[in-house]
Amino acid sequence: MKSWQWGDTTAASTDADLLADHLEPLGVRLRCYPVASAAAPMLAPAQLDASGQEQLLGALDSVFQELQRERGYQERDLVVLYPEHPLLAELDAKFCRVHIHEDEEVRYIVDGEGVFGFVLPDARQIEVTVDAGDYIDIPAGVEHWFRLNAQQRIKAVRYFSARGGWLPVYQERAMQEFPRP
Ligand SMILES: [Fe+2]
């Protein structure tokens, strides 16, 4: 976890324990899995073709195997986003709105950065900037959003116990105006 902040302040924090306390009522779990050094050649380029993606997933398989044992995930795939991605604006519009899923949303960030936003039980909103090595598990039904930051670059593994449950179900609630450095 790189940093986090409230929507009504410009001050960011790097206090991971305090963040965990805030996210605990939602059941959101953040962990760190150091990215395997064997993955490095596939992390350097912003874009990856299909074979590069398979190689990268293979290099990260020890994490998948651990998660399979612990959580029973059946499948995984890779999200690779970069500034020239043809669907970047469309994907940003799709996920940068308050939504929930019928299944949990599980991501392992291995390159770049991304921002997850959450609505806490008291309606305060919080944004968390994640980067390489961060694993995040968002339970079904938790109001959240996702966006890229100014880097517009991320590689993240998605883990699934069932396909389809991660489609966004939009909520009426509006996002606060978070600073976008
Ligand atoms: Fe989501």
Side-chain angles (χ1 to χ4, degrees):
M1 183 276 299
K2 189 178 178 193
S3 64
W4 58 272
Q5 67 185 113
W6 299 111
D8 53 7
T9 172
T10 57
S13 170
T14 57
D15 188 332
D17 291 338
L18 188 55
L19 175 64
D21 287 346
H22 289 311
L23 295 180
E24 196 271 329
L26 301 179
V28 172
R29 299 182 312 140
L30 264 170
R31 283 190 201 171
C32 185
Y33 290 108
V35 179
S37 56
M42 286 75 78
L43 298 179
Q47 287 180 240
L48 280 179
D49 61 16
S51 96
Q53 294 199 18
E54 270 312 307
Q55 286 180 49
L56 178 53
L57 286 170
L60 301 168
D61 254 354
S62 63
V63 172
F64 182 41
Q65 286 157 9
E66 181 175 336
L67 293 169
Q68 275 186 308
R69 281 193 298 273
E70 184 189 338
R71 309 281 292 180
Y73 299 132
Q74 301 295 314
E75 298 183 56
R76 84 279 195 258
D77 67 10
L78 196 62
V79 175
V80 180
L81 297 176
Y82 46 91
E84 301 81 18
H85 192 291
L87 299 178
L88 201 68
E90 188 179 317
L91 290 168
D92 186 57
K94 186 173 180 182
F95 293 107
C96 193
R97 291 170 56 185
V98 178
H99 65 272
I100 62 171
H101 303 282
E102 292 173 0
D103 195 3
E104 60 189 341
E105 176 171 333
V106 187
R107 302 286 183 268
Y108 175 36
I109 317 302
V110 293
D111 179 55
E113 297 181 1
V115 180
F116 284 97
F118 299 98
V119 181
L120 300 187
D122 62 4
R124 284 193 296 173
Q125 297 185 11
I126 195 169
E127 278 198 338
V128 182
T129 300
V130 293
D131 58 5
D134 284 335
Y135 166 90
I136 189 163
D137 179 348
I138 304 170
V142 167
E143 288 183 275
H144 68 279
W145 62 89
F146 176 80
R147 64 178 177 85
L148 293 174
N149 64 7
Q151 280 193 17
Q152 294 191 306
R153 169 172 170 151
I154 196 166
K155 294 185 185 73
V157 187
R158 310 189 298 178
Y159 300 98
F160 304 97
S161 46
R163 285 274 174 181
W166 53 274
L167 292 171
V169 180
Y170 296 117
Q171 307 295 293
E172 291 298 316
R173 193 190 305 270
M175 284 167 53
Q176 290 178 343
E177 287 288 328
F178 283 81
R180 292 191 174 209

